[in-house]
Amino acid sequence: MSVALSAVATAPAQRPDPVAVATALVRDFSLTAADHDKSGEFAAGNFEALFKSGLLGLVTAEKDGGWGEGMETAHAVITAIARGDPSTALILAMHYSVHAAIRRSKWPAALAAKVLAANSREPALLNNAQAEPGVGSPAHGGLPKTTARIEGDFWVVNGRKSFVTGLPGLKWAIVLAVTAEETPRLIQLLVPLDAAGIAQKKAWEATGMYATASHDLVLEDVKVPLADIVAEQPAEPLRRDEADGYNFFVLLASVYHGVALSARDDLLRHLNGHVPASLGASLSSIPRIQEGLGQIEVLLAANLRLLLSVARDVDAGERVGTDALAVRHVVIDNAVAVTDLALELGGNRGLRRDYDLERHHRDAITARAHAPQSHMIRTILGRRSIKAAGG
C-alpha cells in the first residue's frame, strides 16, 4: 500500500490531528511561497505533499476513504495552509468545496465514484470553470457562451472559461455550458483536462495570489460522455445550492484570514527584532506601535469568532442563510485592513519586495475580486431588509 493510501485509510483513532499535519507541511510551503509568487508557477510539489499526507481527502466521507472532517476542521486546515502559501490554500479550498458537495450526495453516484477513486490514488484536483471573458461570473446573472451539443453518445463542448483557479494542476474542470437543444438547458459537465481539444491560455496576471495560476481554459470540440452531467437546470441564471454556498464562503474567507495572520506574524518579527540605535529598544516598545498591533488583534479575533460560528453551524446542520455572505464580507475586509496596518507599522521595510508584508497585502486585496463581490453582498442584504420591512 502506498504512503498516501495508508494515510487516507488510517483508522480515526490512529489518525493524526489534521491541523497539526497541515502546520507541519506549511513549514516547507512557506519557504517557496515567495518564489511561486514571483514566477506564477503552480506549486505541484505542495499538492504532492498534501496528497501523501492524506489531506486531499479531509472532507471526504470515511466510507469513501477520507477523513470525514467537517467545516470547522476544514476552516482550520485552510487557515494553516494559507499562513504558508495562500495560493495553495485557495486551490485546496475549492477542491474541498467540491468534495463537500459530493459527500452530501449532490453528485450522480457514478461520477462521484470516479472522482473519489482518483482522489485516493493521486492528487486528482478539480474545480469549477464558470466565469467567461466578456460575461464574467454567473453570479451576475448572465448565461455562459460556452455551448454543448449532442453528437452520438457525447456532448461536444466549445467555449472559453476564465479565472480557473489552479488550472495547470487540475485533473477535471466542472464546465458550465448551455445546451444546443430545442429546449436549452444549463448544465455542468465533468470535463477531463487531458481530453482532445483542451488548451490552457496563460491569462492570470493579477496583483496577488499569482501562484493560483488561474488561467483560461479553452475547449474546442471537446467530447464528454452524455452521462457526465454533474448538475442541470433550465437555461436561466444559475441556481446555487445554499449549503454549497455556506461551505465555500467559510473556506474562501479562511484563506484570507490565514494571509492576515501571516502579515501579523511577520510584522511582529520585524518590530521585536529591529532595535534602532536612536531608540535603544525594539520598535515594539513604542506605544503607537502597540496600539496598532492591538487593532490588528481585534480584527483577527473577530474574524476567528465569525468563521468558527458559521463553520460550527454548518457542521450542526443549522441554516446559516445570508449570515455566510455577511461573514465572508467582514472577514475579507478585516484581512485587508490587517495587511494595510502591517504595511503602515512596518515602515519602509514593509514596502520592500524582499520582505513579505507587501506580498501579504497584495494577496489580501485580491480577495475583493471573488464573486459575489462586497458591493453585491451589500445590495443583496439591503434588498432583503427592504422586503422584510414591507417595501
Side-chain angles (χ1 to χ4, degrees), residues 320-382:
V320 179
T322 55
D323 285 359
L325 279 170
V327 166
R328 169 243 191 265
H329 184 310
V330 171
V331 169
I332 285 176
D333 274 7
N334 285 354
V336 172
V338 167
T339 61
D340 193 46
L341 275 167
L343 284 183
E344 178 185 345
L345 297 173
N348 289 338
R349 182 169 295 197
L351 299 175
R352 288 177 54 172
R353 289 184 60 83
D354 54 346
Y355 287 87
D356 291 325
L357 289 180
E358 62 86 27
R359 173 165 59 88
H360 299 322
H361 184 63
R362 288 188 287 105
D363 286 338
I365 62 175
T366 306
R368 290 173 167 163
H370 292 289
Q373 290 88 355
S374 293
H375 70 90
M376 294 178 65
I377 293 173
R378 291 192 297 268
T379 300
I380 290 168
L381 297 179

Side-chain angles (χ1 to χ4, degrees), residues 21 28 36 60 66 74 81 109 117 119 144 155 186 206 266 268 304 311 328-329 334 361 367 382:
V21 173
D28 288 335
H36 286 133
T60 300
I81 298 295
N119 198 49
W155 293 105
L186 186 65
D266 287 340
L268 281 171
L304 179 59
R328 169 243 191 265
H329 184 310
N334 285 354
H361 184 63

Side-chain angles (χ1 to χ4, degrees), residues 113-137:
K114 181 193 299 188
V115 167
L116 291 168
N119 198 49
S120 69
R121 67 172 181 265
E122 60 182 318
L125 301 174
L126 74 169
N127 194 6
N128 292 292
Q130 297 184 340
E132 294 185 359
V135 177
S137 167

Side-chain angles (χ1 to χ4, degrees), residues 222-247:
V222 176
K223 290 188 174 181
V224 179
L226 291 179
D228 287 4
I229 297 179
V230 173
E232 63 177 293
Q233 65 169 73
E236 57 191 30
L238 181 63
R239 297 194 295 261
R240 298 189 184 274
D241 181 88
E242 192 171 45
D244 285 349
Y246 301 161
N247 293 335

Side-chain angles (χ1 to χ4, degrees), residues 36-58:
H36 286 133
D37 171 69
K38 291 174 183 175
S39 69
E41 179 184 0
F42 172 79
N46 289 358
F47 288 94
E48 287 286 347
L50 285 164
F51 169 68
K52 289 177 181 178
S53 74
L55 284 180
L56 290 188
L58 180 74

